[in-house]
Amino acid sequence: MKKNVRFLKGLVLAAAALIIAFLAIALPFRLFDTLEPSQLRMLFLSEIAIYFCGAMFFLISKEKKQQKKLKEKEKRLERRAKFQQAQKEYYDLAA
């Protein structure tokens, strides 16, 4: 069931991304006849800025996930070391 939900979620996200990308690319061509050159330049620059912000958001979120994984790994190693130390002390007491 989870696989189906995950698949549907991915399918919807992919379709939305394709539609948004198509509109983002087609919009300047549709507005080419109606806008003045200075307005077109501003539209183009704003589109580039939006793409840049989206890419930065993606990279920042990816970096945060990596840092979170690294912290979790460090915590696991600490817990494992404490457990091994406690186990070693217990065996030393038992012996």
Side-chain angles (χ1 to χ4, degrees):
M1 187 68 175
K2 276 189 174 184
K3 288 182 180 181
N4 290 338
V5 171
R6 196 177 313 155
F7 175 73
L8 287 176
K9 226 185 224 184
L11 190 63
V12 169
L13 283 174
L18 284 173
I19 291 169
I20 290 171
F22 175 76
L23 291 176
I25 291 172
L27 182 65
F29 292 110
R30 301 280 278 160
L31 295 175
F32 187 72
D33 295 332
T34 59
L35 296 178
E36 296 176 9
S38 62
Q39 292 173 329
L40 279 174
R41 262 187 244 124
M42 289 187 62
L43 181 68
F44 177 71
L45 291 175
S46 64
E47 191 176 351
I48 296 297
I50 290 170
Y51 291 149
F52 180 76
C53 290
M56 288 301 111
F57 176 75
F58 173 75
L59 292 174
I60 288 171
S61 65
K62 191 174 181 179
E63 182 68 28
K64 280 185 179 182
K65 284 181 184 178
Q66 286 177 346
Q67 288 177 354
K68 187 176 178 180
K69 282 183 180 180
L70 185 62
K71 276 186 177 181
E72 288 177 4
K73 187 176 181 179
E74 288 175 1
K75 282 183 181 180
R76 272 189 260 121
L77 289 175
E78 262 184 47
R79 278 191 240 135
R80 186 178 296 154
K82 284 181 183 180
F83 178 74
Q84 287 176 348
Q85 181 67 23
Q87 196 175 23
K88 185 178 179 182
E89 289 175 2
Y90 176 75
Y91 287 146
D92 287 345
L93 283 175

